[in-house]
Amino acid sequence: MTRGRAQDPNVCGVTAAIAVIDGKWKTALLWPLESGPRRPGEMLRLLPGLTEKVLTQALREMEADGLVHREVHDVRPLKTVYSLTDFGRDLCAALAPLSDWGHRRLDRMAENRDESASPRAS
């Protein structure tokens, strides 16, 4: 999905929402930001496999979409802190039921695997 779809007024609301969270790391970044402001290094430590380049790109896109606020403190070395905006918190609240559904799906898949792996009584 392209970034342009997030601004296209002629797509359905679900498509517009998914365009904003599309990608491997954006939803994962929402989790630590839900609990409060975070520095980039903190987020890198919390999300193994995330690179500094991808983190910077995702945070810039999320800032452009109005989900996160970037605050630079004028100290040496510069200190940058990211936090969720009200709009970003609204998105987290909207994603909570989807997350619940996803966990139920994972539980269901695990049950199906367990059933197919267990020997059947004849």
Side-chain angles (χ1 to χ4, degrees):
M1 191 175 306
T2 65
R3 296 266 320 133
R5 304 263 336 242
Q7 283 89 28
D8 184 351
N10 297 316
V11 299
C12 78
V14 173
T15 300
I18 289 173
V20 171
I21 58 170
D22 191 32
K24 181 176 179 178
W25 295 105
K26 287 183 184 176
T27 54
L29 286 168
L30 289 172
W31 281 355
L33 290 170
E34 268 189 295
S35 61
R38 301 282 181 165
R39 297 188 64 191
E42 230 181 323
M43 290 186 272
L44 287 169
R45 283 189 298 277
L46 290 170
L47 299 167
L50 176 61
T51 65
E52 189 172 342
K53 178 185 175 194
V54 172
L55 172 65
T56 300
Q57 179 182 352
L59 288 170
R60 283 183 182 157
E61 289 176 5
M62 292 170 77
E63 184 180 14
D65 289 328
L67 303 177
V68 299
H69 171 72
R70 179 178 178 256
E71 187 173 339
V72 179
H73 298 272
D74 193 19
V75 294
R76 296 287 176 228
L78 285 178
K79 178 181 171 185
T80 305
V81 178
Y82 289 89
S83 59
L84 285 179
T85 62
D86 288 340
F87 198 52
R89 280 189 284 283
D90 288 346
L91 175 61
C92 289
L95 289 174
L98 184 61
S99 175
D100 293 342
W101 182 89
H103 286 291
R104 287 193 311 272
R105 177 181 176 271
L106 292 172
D107 291 344
R108 188 175 176 184
M109 289 170 45
E111 288 171 8
N112 289 341
R113 269 194 311 272
D114 292 344
E115 288 174 5
S116 64
S118 64
R120 296 184 182 226
S122 298

